[in-house]
Amino acid sequence: SATRRVRKDPELVALRGHVLLEADPGAAIPLLESALGENERLPEPALDLAIARLRTGAPRVSEAIRHALSLAHDGGAAIQALERECERLARDPAARDRALAAAETLAGNFPGRRASHELVLRLLVARREWAPVREAARRADAAFPGDPDFGRVWRQAEVELSK
């Protein structure tokens, strides 16, 4: 029947998931997973799934982020969407760990992306966890040698750790 075909059309199922993403990201996840199960090469649903998992704390966020970015026609726009989502989540104390884990996935997979490194460092400095700050600053400095901002954060971490 026509109803049965509509339910199996991955793009329509993904659209239903996309519509739910803002209001109920948890309800969007099974729809997006179903759509991607039918066609794993759909870039927009893959990005929506990564965002939904990030928002809800569902498992396999890093995997979803990597998959979404591997399919993105415009990788920069997809990375920016995920960075914005991390920034938004970081404002919620209960979601900061998720935001940090996702930002670290972005920085680790795209070491040449300055904004991702900055986001990781901002989140770590806010937590005042100086050993992870030092390591993240070292990675950022390796990606951007001689960058005064990353070097300054690295030195700040070294000072804090020597206290």
Side-chain angles (χ1 to χ4, degrees):
S1 80
T3 304
R4 199 167 291 159
R5 275 197 319 273
V6 168
R7 284 194 191 124
K8 294 203 180 270
D9 182 340
E11 292 177 352
L12 289 177
V13 173
L15 181 60
R16 288 176 46 215
H18 179 77
V19 169
L20 284 172
L21 185 60
E22 291 303 317
D24 190 355
I29 290 173
L31 293 170
L32 296 165
E33 288 174 338
S34 175
L36 290 165
E38 293 291 321
N39 182 354
E40 68 180 17
R41 306 296 303 163
L42 297 171
E44 292 81 9
L47 179 60
D48 286 347
L49 179 59
I51 290 171
R53 283 186 175 160
L54 181 54
R55 286 180 182 171
T56 62
R60 302 187 340 254
V61 173
S62 293
E63 172 189 321
I65 289 171
R66 285 190 296 274
H67 182 67
L69 294 175
S70 75
L71 298 177
H73 299 302
D74 181 355
I79 293 170
Q80 287 175 341
L82 289 162
E83 287 170 343
R84 281 192 306 273
E85 190 62 32
C86 290
E87 292 276 4
R88 188 183 73 73
L89 283 175
R91 291 190 288 274
D92 175 3
R96 285 189 186 135
D97 288 345
R98 284 182 280 153
L100 176 59
E104 287 175 331
T105 296
L106 292 171
N109 284 282
F110 300 93
R113 177 101 178 133
R114 182 183 173 84
S116 295
H117 289 286
E118 290 172 340
L119 178 57
V120 168
L121 287 169
R122 273 197 314 277
L123 291 170
L124 288 172
V125 167
R127 294 165 80 156
R128 305 188 65 74
E129 295 179 3
W130 298 110
V133 168
R134 177 179 57 193
E135 182 58 27
R138 186 197 58 72
R139 286 191 306 270
D141 190 60
F144 299 93
D147 183 289
D149 293 331
F150 295 139
R152 186 175 63 255
V153 174
W154 190 348
R155 286 187 301 280
Q156 177 187 4
E158 290 292 341
V159 167
E160 293 295 333
L161 286 168
S162 69
K163 289 182 178 178

